[in-house]
């Protein structure tokens, strides 16, 4: 754990009242990344921050999980309606995180779900394009525990 993470974990967060101990109160995050190492790291960080996590290895799998795949005619499943946040990589084969963001924002059932785009590349035009399309936030990889705690805090505020 680096010093920034230690500092974050030892200090009391301004939103500590949003941390809930029961499993039902844990936000469900759909984490989408084609890189298995990045996906496992993100999953571990989210679980450390008391989040429930579902992972997908690409945008098409994420759309299927959310119930907005091409054959599902934009209908939300009961699982998808419980998703509190979608955290997706930008660069993925087939369909980018930006394309996934657009599909989610076009869905009447899911357009209110926050989508956070992450990338290892700091490209201002890409960041602006994602934010203009409705991304809640753009984060640079590799994510740290402090990033996840900040995200979780914002997600819990939206739920209350």
């Amino acid at each position: 754990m680096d010093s920034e993470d230690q500092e974050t974990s030892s200090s009391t967060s301004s939103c500590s009242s949003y941390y809930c101990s029961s499993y039902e109160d844990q936000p469900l995050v759909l984490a989408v990344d084609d890189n298995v190492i990045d996906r496992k790291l993100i999953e571990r960080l989210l679980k450390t921050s008391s989040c429930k996590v579902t992972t997908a290895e690409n945008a098409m799998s994420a759309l299927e999980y959310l119930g907005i795949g091409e054959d599902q005619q934009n209908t939300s499943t009961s699982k998808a309606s419980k998703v509190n946040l979608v955290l997706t990589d930008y660069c993925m084969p087939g369909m980018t995180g930006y394309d996934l963001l657009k599909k989610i924002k076009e869905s009447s059932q899911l357009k209110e779900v926050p989508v956070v785009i992450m990338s290892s590349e700091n490209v201002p035009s890409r960041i602006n394009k994602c934010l203009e399309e409705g991304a809640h936030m753009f984060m640079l990889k590799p994510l740290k525990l402090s990033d996840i705690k900040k995200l979780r805090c914002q997600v819990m505020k939206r739920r209350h």
Side-chain angles (χ1 to χ4, degrees):
M1 187 183 299
D2 64 28
S3 61
E4 185 178 340
D5 286 344
Q6 284 177 331
E7 182 182 295
T8 304
S9 62
S10 63
S11 66
T12 54
S13 172
S14 61
C15 63
S16 59
S17 62
Y18 291 103
Y19 283 85
C20 303
S21 57
S22 74
Y23 188 74
E24 293 79 37
D25 287 339
Q26 294 178 349
L28 175 59
V29 179
L30 175 58
V32 188
D33 200 313
D34 61 310
N35 182 306
V36 67
I37 295 168
D38 286 346
R39 198 167 57 242
K40 291 290 184 191
L41 171 66
I42 292 161
E43 182 177 14
R44 195 189 67 170
L45 289 171
L46 287 164
K47 286 182 176 177
T48 299
S49 294
S50 299
C51 293
K52 293 180 281 188
V53 185
T54 296
T55 60
E57 69 274 359
N58 58 46
M60 293 307 291
S61 295
L63 287 174
E64 282 178 35
Y65 178 81
L66 293 169
I68 53 176
E70 291 180 13
D71 60 336
Q72 292 165 310
Q73 303 303 315
N74 202 20
T75 59
S76 178
T77 66
S78 60
K79 283 188 294 186
S81 64
K82 291 180 173 57
V83 171
N84 302 106
L85 172 72
V86 176
L87 180 61
T88 182
D89 188 21
Y90 181 88
C91 292
M92 294 184 290
M95 179 184 279
T96 67
Y98 174 75
D99 295 328
L100 176 60
L101 165 70
K102 284 176 32 177
K103 294 260 187 207
I104 291 170
K105 294 304 172 185
E106 288 168 2
S107 164
S108 58
Q109 292 91 352
L110 298 169
K111 65 182 174 190
E112 297 304 317
V113 174
V115 178
V116 174
I117 309 280
M118 55 188 171
S119 177
S120 55
E121 301 170 5
N122 188 356
V123 181
S125 60
R126 178 185 296 169
I127 294 169
N128 289 336
K129 186 169 80 167
C130 290
L131 294 173
E132 286 169 7
E133 193 61 45
H136 183 70
M137 190 183 296
F138 194 102
M139 302 180 104
L140 289 175
K141 290 163 69 173
L143 298 185
K144 300 181 292 297
L145 186 57
S146 57
D147 296 326
I148 298 297
K149 286 186 174 186
K150 185 180 3 171
L151 256 185
R152 188 189 187 288
C153 180
Q154 291 184 1
V155 169
M156 291 308 288
K157 281 182 184 174
R158 291 178 72 98
R159 291 176 68 197
H160 288 95

